[in-house]
Amino acid sequence: MLEGGCHCGAVRYSMPADARHALCHCTDCRKAAGAPAVAWALAAADQVPINGETRMYASSEHGRRYFCGACGSGLFYTNDVIFPGMIDVQTATLDDPGSLPLLAQIQTAERIGWMAHLDAVPAFERYPPEE
């Protein structure tokens, strides 16, 4: 099992290490997270014990997003029409996000253009040097 939680520690969870992990580029995920993409791992809801209280936001007719009411960290997504009995976990909230291999990018039709070419953008381990 993998362990994770929100930024302030009020919500903790565990999840199976074999969950299907994907990076979502859809507009809904981007708007909800304030980020260019959101990494999710889909698992059976009964295999993801959650300790602490989350708040829920109905982000679409069937979509439900769960977050920590104390710090606001986005944590989970459910949609009983698209994947009944399952829960998506925002994998950047894992204690070790790198422990779960990324298997796919989804909803790339809605991807921000510059996200497709990140390998061509200069990268720095920390902040870039002052010029």
Side-chain angles (χ1 to χ4, degrees):
M1 295 290 275
L2 304 174
E3 305 290 325
C6 67
H7 190 262
C8 73
V11 179
R12 296 287 301 162
Y13 65 86
S14 57
M15 63 176 290
D18 62 351
R20 297 180 312 205
H21 191 202
L23 185 64
C24 185
H25 293 277
C26 81
T27 302
D28 284 344
C29 283
R30 292 194 335 259
K31 290 282 191 176
V38 178
W40 296 102
L42 188 65
D46 63 1
Q47 294 182 356
V48 181
I50 300 167
N51 296 309
E53 291 194 31
T54 60
R55 301 215 33 213
M56 187 271 295
Y57 167 64
S59 60
S60 64
E61 182 180 2
H62 303 289
R64 303 293 179 263
R65 294 178 187 273
Y66 297 84
F67 59 96
C68 174
C71 68
S73 294
L75 296 164
F76 313 109
Y77 175 84
T78 61
N79 187 316
D80 288 336
V81 172
I82 296 173
F83 40 82
M86 306 294 281
I87 189 168
D88 252 337
V89 177
Q90 280 190 262
T91 57
T93 65
L94 285 167
D95 294 343
D96 181 8
S99 65
L100 192 61
L102 189 66
L103 302 176
Q105 294 186 62
I106 59 173
Q107 304 290 3
T108 58
E110 298 177 37
R111 179 173 52 200
I112 298 171
W114 46 259
M115 283 291 289
H117 308 289
L118 289 179
D119 57 334
V121 178
F124 304 91
E125 286 188 23
R126 299 288 180 219
Y127 293 101
E130 291 187 33
E131 293 183 23

